[in-house]
Amino acid sequence: MHNVSHVRLFFLSGLSETMNYRVALFSLTLLCYCFIVLVNVALIVTIILDKNMHEPMYILLCTFCMNGLYGTTGFFPKILWDLLSPVHVISYSGCLVQTLVIYSFVCSDMSIFAVMAYDRYVAICRPLVYHSIMSKSRLLLLVCFSWLIPFCIIGTNIILTSRLKLCSPYIDRLFCVNWIIVKLACFPADTIVNSIVAYITIIIYVFHGFFIFCYVIKTCVNSLENRAKFMQTCVPHLTSLLIFLVTILFDIMHIRFGSTELPQALDNFIAIEYLVIPPIMNPLIYGFKLTKIRNRILGGFTFTIKVLR
């Protein structure tokens, strides 16, 4: 038997119980997406235009926001289209691409968190050699690795999924999820490699961020001077990391180990929280906490008001 999927279209059933409210949901979703684009683009443009922010911490933050836009683009345009359409389908290849985009966004975020943690560790604990360690060439290398390695690892997961013969085209989610596709396989024995690679990926990209950041906290709060620097520059990173870890772990636990049937609205919220909450909260957290960004944005806002008057 040729191990080639006969499924050409997937039917997404995550919106089946909410179509009576689709106009309201469409408006709310569009507003949310526009807000995510606005705050992330505002931070990116602010950092690019202000030469005083062309430093590793702000460049990494800019990378962080770009990755947020990349990830949300894999979800919001499709869900907005589905809210206006009576039939919620996605092609087989489109489903795999959506899975690749969303999962690589998640893993890249964890990698960027790790690089940001390393940057703060060097800045606080080894300030005299900071600029030599975090040189432009090394920063560029770290940023490239933060994007390319997750993309390759998730690509490997997707390639393993694409080899499976599927026996059902129905996905009980708002969007494509790799583990849900794997569970549609006709022969469970064929999914063993998928499970092993998936768990290795989870261990790498959930726990490495957690442990690295905890190490930075432990190292950087040994003195009062370091503690003050930590409170100024690392608290936003820690807050963002905790938000992201909680939302990701909650979704992983629900997909892989959740046995009870939840109301569809709650199930949908669990599914999309890491695509909505972090991309909104991260720019707001950094924008309000980091003094340079806050002053620059408020200054630009004040200038715009004066011009309009």
Side-chain angles (χ1 to χ4, degrees):
M1 180 181 292
H2 296 290
N3 197 19
V4 179
S5 173
H6 296 290
V7 174
R8 291 293 174 261
L9 284 175
F10 286 108
F11 295 87
L12 306 173
S13 59
L15 291 173
S16 59
E17 295 179 11
T18 58
M19 290 312 291
N20 292 333
Y21 313 100
R22 63 180 182 177
V23 175
L25 288 172
F26 176 83
S27 302
L28 183 63
T29 304
L30 180 61
L31 182 65
C32 181
Y33 185 44
C34 289
F35 185 74
I36 288 173
V37 172
L38 177 65
V39 294
N40 281 277
V41 168
L43 222 61
I44 292 169
V45 171
T46 298
I47 292 170
I48 291 175
L49 294 181
D50 192 337
K51 292 184 179 180
N52 293 325
M53 294 186 192
H54 292 180
E55 300 172 4
M57 181 175 70
Y58 297 104
I59 292 172
L60 288 171
L61 177 54
C62 187
T63 305
F64 200 36
C65 292
M66 289 178 180
N67 192 57
L69 291 175
Y70 162 73
T72 52
T73 301
F75 167 71
F76 278 96
K78 180 64 174 69
I79 193 66
L80 288 168
W81 176 263
D82 284 345
L83 285 167
L84 295 178
S85 173
V87 181
H88 310 136
V89 297
I90 186 170
S91 67
Y92 179 83
S93 57
C95 190
L96 294 183
V97 169
Q98 185 182 54
T99 304
L100 175 64
V101 170
I102 292 175
Y103 278 47
S104 60
F105 147 72
V106 171
C107 294
S108 292
D109 251 18
M110 292 307 305
S111 295
I112 295 168
F113 269 126
V115 176
M116 289 173 118
Y118 176 71
D119 172 72
R120 290 301 86 201
Y121 161 74
V122 176
I124 293 173
C125 300
R126 304 180 65 186
L128 297 179
V129 293
Y130 174 73
H131 290 290
S132 61
I133 293 177
M134 293 301 293
S135 61
K136 289 184 179 179
S137 57
R138 180 167 296 179
L139 180 63
L140 179 61
L141 194 63
L142 290 172
V143 169
C144 289
F145 281 155
S146 298
W147 271 332
L148 293 177
I149 293 178
F151 191 86
C152 292
I153 291 177
I154 298 304
T156 302
N157 280 266
I158 302 303
I159 290 171
L160 290 173
T161 299
S162 68
R163 71 187 175 84
L164 299 174
K165 178 178 174 59
L166 307 181
C167 286
S168 173
Y170 297 99
I171 296 177
D172 189 23
R173 300 279 282 193
L174 288 170
F175 56 92
C176 295
V177 177
N178 189 54
W179 184 246
I180 302 295
I181 300 172
V182 170
K183 289 198 294 185
L184 299 177
C186 299
F187 308 106
D190 292 343
T191 67
I192 294 175
V193 177
N194 296 72
S195 298
I196 293 172
V197 174
Y199 280 117
I200 291 173
T201 304
I202 290 170
I203 290 170
I204 291 172
Y205 282 105
V206 171
F207 292 100
H208 91 287
F210 178 77
F211 285 117
I212 289 174
F213 215 98
C214 285
Y215 175 76
V216 171
I217 294 172
K218 182 180 177 181
T219 305
C220 291
V221 296
N222 289 333
S223 67
L224 289 175
E225 183 183 358
N226 285 350
R227 199 170 301 155
K229 293 179 181 178
F230 169 81
M231 292 300 294
Q232 176 64 29
T233 62
C234 288
V235 167
H237 305 308
L238 179 59
T239 306
S240 296
L241 177 64
L242 289 176
I243 291 172
F244 197 69
L245 276 177
V246 169
T247 55
I248 289 297
L249 287 173
F250 204 58
D251 187 63
I252 291 172
M253 296 296 289
H254 176 60
I255 290 176
R256 292 182 174 267
F257 308 110
S259 57
T260 58
E261 288 292 331
L262 299 175
Q264 191 177 78
L266 178 59
D267 193 57
N268 288 342
F269 175 76
I270 294 173
I272 68 172
E273 57 184 342
Y274 66 88
L275 291 166
V276 176
I277 297 175
I280 290 177
M281 293 302 297
N282 290 341
L284 295 179
I285 290 170
Y286 288 110
F288 283 107
K289 183 63 181 175
L290 298 180
T291 307
K292 279 187 179 181
I293 294 178
R294 182 175 67 247
N295 292 342
R296 188 72 175 84
I297 291 177
L298 290 176
F301 183 71
T302 304
F303 176 77
T304 303
I305 292 176
K306 289 181 178 178
V307 170
L308 292 175
R309 286 180 179 177

